[in-house]
């Protein structure tokens, strides 16, 4: 399935494992609950492993494991559930997560700019969204008042005003 | 006042383009209702009973005459030549067409205005003291900090999809005229023991369904830490605020359920992490402050005003009631009453707006302020010109000497415009008005705040009215619940329920009975609120429900 990654449309090979679905050797992501339950077996399964986080997951339970995951997926169960915006900034700015940080869910084009600003570098839209239309939205605004994951300086340090 | 630089302007222009695209996609069917709703709300656009309603931001209530003329022009071209000032110092148009809204926003952008975040589950337009910078009781002018907060909160990438709306108010004076205790965050400027000015931070106040007075989470916050602390509070709220029930989603509920100690601990822990990363630079504070310098005040002649007042009792009444002390000798701040008889509270016509703009240019350095009580202020009027100004205001119907009195009611649009309303509010205000229209009676009643909301959302802040009136629906009929003893000032408190709701025909009479009871029971010149606090609601209850 195509996703946006690093500003380009690419084909994605990751599989999001349901909690009761057996892990194969292919790259797959698991929920935080499953990760906490089956750490040892999952590490042993051999393939690349990613973590899927929901806005309600307790971060202190998994932040120590972040360097095991080349991919972290933050779920957006609805477009108005904005918890993922905070989760992303915390992962990038506080916990120094450097791998692929992917937003996944029902957000819309008009949120892409914010998603990019808080540190996502990959976007997995719900099926049916024309990804070409999302690309220009990564830079929808040329002015950024706030510091965030993409720009550590608030506006008054970006420019001599 | 603050003037946009190229970055501020560019952002607003880009926002107009974005909303034009969003409206187009919605009208084309590319965005669903559910998708368009949060987007349009974040641009102040409601779809109302009769037509869309557009709420335009007046940051911390400050308007230039040029901006006011533009608003008049918009009301004439896109609306029915009327606009409505709200309880959050904003202005609303009740009849624009959805298709026209992008053009209206483009017009606004030409005078450095916008409708960004005037609604929706995001950080709303910041409000402040309408006498900021001119009142004698000020610790420091709060407007530069309001502007800094405005910029920080505008299109905040992390906090644009909060559990619910989020309102911030800043007050810099000893007397709280910004209702900071009933905001999600209230910032009260204070001095610490070392003599530095900073902010006391209150969190969790709010009106609406579950009115609560805010609590202090930090008694002193240094200016450099302003933005990091706001960010810490917002982050805790965004992550842990309830999203399962919109009536429990405000930060006040999170604070109540978490408890003030735990909540404060969470905020402080978050703040400790980000405090060093997000410092509000002194240079930036100074830059913004340079936009709020004192105008060119001129000395006033001695004695003239007293002579004029003695000669004209109506002027004297207006002077005493509708003007207030200024920090500069020879100047006064003048309130323009938007509460004349027979006009929905807070409404102004296009012609009035233009006339106000002209008067502002002539008498008050071209600036106007909106108050949260739905009136306007000329902040800087030389006392030599007060008589002339009074005469001119009278000719356009804005000199009713009722500021802070019983007919200066705060009233939401209610059933006449608002699709959420249970009951009308404007006609109730008119009924009450007709019973206390006598000027001597009005002034004898003294300071009185009557607030009327058409539903539980409480846009007219009825729970902090000295007399609060709340419209409720009883089997399809309009009924009204009365409360007594509320206040949003320094002595903030929530009104106590008087008893069962009364029907529409009886509300004004009930209010009249309450006022009569007060007159009989007050001590000397004891204000209404003090009498209620001294005696409790019982004597009022007995009289109002005597015949029921
Ligand atoms: S209080 Fe209710 S009726 Fe009045 S404006 Fe607010 S939502 Fe509408």
């Amino acid at each position: 399935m195509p996703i946006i990654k690093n500003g380009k449309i690419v084909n994605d090979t990751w599989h999001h494992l349901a909690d009761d679905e057996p892990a194969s050797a292919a790259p797959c992501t698991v929920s935080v609950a499953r990760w906490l339950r089956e750490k040892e077996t999952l590490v042993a399964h051999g393939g690349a492993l990613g973590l899927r986080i929901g806005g309600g997951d307790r971060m202190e339970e998994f932040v120590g494991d972040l360097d095991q995951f080349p991919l972290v997926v933050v779920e957006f169960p609805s477009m108005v559930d904005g918890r993922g915006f905070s989760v992303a900034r915390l992962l990038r700015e506080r916990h120094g997560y450097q791998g692929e940080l992917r937003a996944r869910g029902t957000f819309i084009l008009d949120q892409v700019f914010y998603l990019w600003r808080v540190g996502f570098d990959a976007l997995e839209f719900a099926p049916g969204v024309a990804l070409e239309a999302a690309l220009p939205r990564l830079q929808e605004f040329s002015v950024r008042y706030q510091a965030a994951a993409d720009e550590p300086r608030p506006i008054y340090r970006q420019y001599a005003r | 006042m603050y003037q946009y630089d190229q970055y501020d302007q560019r952002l607003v222009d880009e926002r107009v383009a974005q909303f034009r695209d969003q409206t187009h996609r919605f009208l084309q069917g590319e965005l669903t209702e559910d998708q368009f709703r949060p987007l349009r709300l974040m641009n102040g656009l409601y779809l109302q009973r009769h037509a869309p309603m557009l709420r335009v931001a007046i940051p911390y209530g400050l308007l230039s005459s040029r901006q006011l003329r533009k608003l008049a022009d918009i009301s004439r071209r896109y609306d029915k030549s009327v606009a409505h000032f709200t309880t959050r110092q904003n202005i609303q148009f009740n009849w624009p067409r959805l298709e026209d809204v992008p053009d209206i926003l483009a017009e606004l952008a030409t005078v450095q205005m916008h409708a960004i975040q005037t609604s929706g589950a995001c950080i709303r337009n910041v409000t402040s003291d309408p006498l900021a910078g001119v009142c004698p009781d000020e610790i420091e002018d709060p407007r530069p900090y309001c502007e800094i907060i405005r910029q920080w909160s505008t299109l905040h990438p992390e906090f644009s999809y909060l559990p619910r709306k989020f309102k911030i108010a800043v007050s810099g004076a000893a007397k709280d005229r910004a209702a900071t205790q009933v905001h999600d965050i209230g910032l009260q400027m204070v001095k610490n023991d070392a003599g530095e000015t900073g902010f006391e931070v209150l969190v969790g106040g709010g009106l609406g369904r579950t009115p609560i007075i805010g609590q202090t989470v930090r008694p002193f916050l240094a200016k450099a830490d302003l933005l990091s602390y706001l960010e810490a509070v917002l982050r805790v709220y965004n992550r842990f605020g309830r999203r399962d029930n919109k009536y429990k989603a405000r930060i006040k509920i999170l604070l109540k359920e978490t408890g003030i100690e735990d909540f404060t601990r969470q905020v402080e822990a978050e703040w400790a992490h980000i405090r060093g990363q997000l410092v509000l630079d002194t240079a930036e504070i100074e830059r913004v402050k340079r936009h709020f310098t004192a105008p060119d005040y001129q000395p006033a002649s001695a004695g003239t005003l007293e002579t004029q007042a003695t000669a004209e009792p109506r002027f004297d009444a207006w002077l005493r009631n509708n003007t207030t002390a200024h920090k500069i000798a020879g100047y006064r701040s003048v309130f323009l009453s938007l509460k004349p008889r027979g006009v929905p509270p807070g409404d102004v016509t296009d012609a009035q707006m233009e006339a106000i703009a002209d008067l502002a240019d002539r008498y008050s350095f071209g600036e106007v302020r909106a108050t949260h009580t739905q009136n306007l202020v000329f902040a800087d009027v030389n006392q030599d010109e007060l008589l002339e100004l009074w005469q001119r205001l009278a000719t356009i119907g804005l000199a009713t000497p009722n500021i802070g009195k019983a007919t200066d009611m705060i009233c939401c649009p209610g059933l006449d415009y608002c699709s959420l309303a249970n009951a009308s509010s404007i006609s109730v205000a008119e009924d009450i008005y007709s019973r206390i229209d006598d000027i001597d009676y009005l002034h004898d009643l003294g300071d009185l705040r009557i607030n009327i909301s058409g539903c539980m959302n409480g846009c007219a802040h009825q729970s902090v009215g000295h007399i609060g009136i709340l419209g409720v629906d009883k089997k399809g009929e309009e009924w009204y619940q009365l409360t007594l003893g509320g206040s949003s000032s320094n002595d903030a408190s929530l009104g106590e329920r008087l008893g069962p709701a009364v029907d529409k025909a009886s509300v004004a009479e009930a209010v009249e009975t309450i006022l009569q009871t007060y007159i009989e029971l007050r001590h000397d010149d004891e204000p209404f609120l003090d009498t209620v606090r001294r005696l409790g609601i019982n004597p009022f209850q007995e009289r109002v429900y005597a015949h029921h």
Side-chain angles (χ1 to χ4, degrees), chain B residues 46 48-49 53 55 84 92 165 411-425 452-462 470-471:
Chain B
Y46 287 75
Q48 293 278 62
R49 209 167 271 275
M53 181 273 276
R55 185 182 294 149
H84 173 78
Q92 289 177 186
K165 58 187 167 188
C411 181
C412 80
L415 207 53
D416 293 299
Y417 298 103
C418 176
S419 49
L420 302 171
N422 288 325
S424 28
S425 40
I452 312 171
S453 294
C455 81
M456 294 272 276
N457 286 324
C459 298
H461 306 170
Q462 81 288 343
L470 166 65

Side-chain angles (χ1 to χ4, degrees), chain B residues 288-400:
Chain B
V288 178
K289 273 189 181 173
R290 283 196 291 276
H291 290 273
F292 297 95
T293 48
D296 184 18
Y297 292 120
Q298 299 298 319
S301 45
T304 322
L305 187 62
E306 289 71 15
T307 321
Q308 289 169 337
T310 320
E312 174 52 274
R314 286 180 309 148
F315 172 59
D316 188 42
W318 174 83
L319 181 67
R320 278 187 285 118
N321 202 75
N322 284 23
T323 74
T324 185
H326 196 287
K327 67 177 183 189
I328 302 291
Y331 275 77
R332 291 190 74 79
S333 297
V334 171
F335 286 82
L336 283 62
S337 170
L338 302 187
K339 318 288 175 67
R341 173 96 193 261
V343 175
D347 273 17
V348 282
T349 65
D350 59 334
Q352 281 176 322
M353 284 188 270
E354 276 163 355
I356 295 166
D358 292 346
L359 294 177
D361 283 340
R362 171 76 184 76
Y363 297 103
S364 195
F365 301 98
E367 281 182 23
V368 187
R369 294 145 183 236
T371 76
H372 82 90
T373 55
Q374 301 177 290
N375 293 303
L376 298 176
V377 171
F378 286 168
D380 301 289
V381 183
N382 188 299
Q383 64 182 38
D384 289 353
E385 303 187 308
L386 284 169
L387 178 65
E388 204 178 287
L389 174 60
W390 168 68
Q391 288 161 340
R392 294 196 178 195
L393 285 174
T395 64
I396 53 171
L398 300 177
T400 312

Side-chain angles (χ1 to χ4, degrees), chain A residues 55 57 59 79-83 85-87 89-90 93-94 108-111 114 117-118 137 140-143 145-148 152 154-157 159 161, chain B residues 2 5 7-8 10 14-15 18 21-22 25 35 38-39 150-152 154-158 160-161 227 231 235 238-239 243 270 273-274 279-281 284 287:
Chain A
D57 286 324
M59 293 191 78
M79 72 170 275
V80 294
D81 184 344
R83 290 178 292 184
F85 294 100
S86 287
V87 172
R89 281 193 75 185
L90 287 169
E93 295 173 52
R94 173 123 354 129
I108 61 173
L109 297 180
D110 311 82
Q111 297 176 293
Y114 292 156
R117 288 222 58 202
V118 295
R137 309 250 171 198
E140 188 156 31
F141 287 89
S142 64
V143 179
Y145 278 133
Q146 313 78 8
I155 186 156
Y156 47 84
R157 289 192 183 173
Y159 309 102
R161 299 185 80 182
Chain B
Y2 187 75
D5 68 7
Y7 307 108
D8 303 308
R10 213 194 306 148
E14 289 175 1
R15 178 64 156 190
Q18 183 195 42
D21 167 72
Q22 289 167 347
R25 280 156 57 218
Q35 291 172 331
L39 304 179
R150 182 191 78 80
Q151 297 189 16
W152 161 80
T154 297
L155 309 193
H156 199 296
E158 183 178 348
S160 289
Y161 293 88
L227 298 182
E231 206 139 314
R235 182 169 286 163
N238 190 41
R239 293 187 64 204
R243 291 174 186 266
E270 181 57 43
H273 282 291
I274 58 177
V279 175
L280 176 55
D281 297 338
E284 173 66 359
R287 179 188 77 89

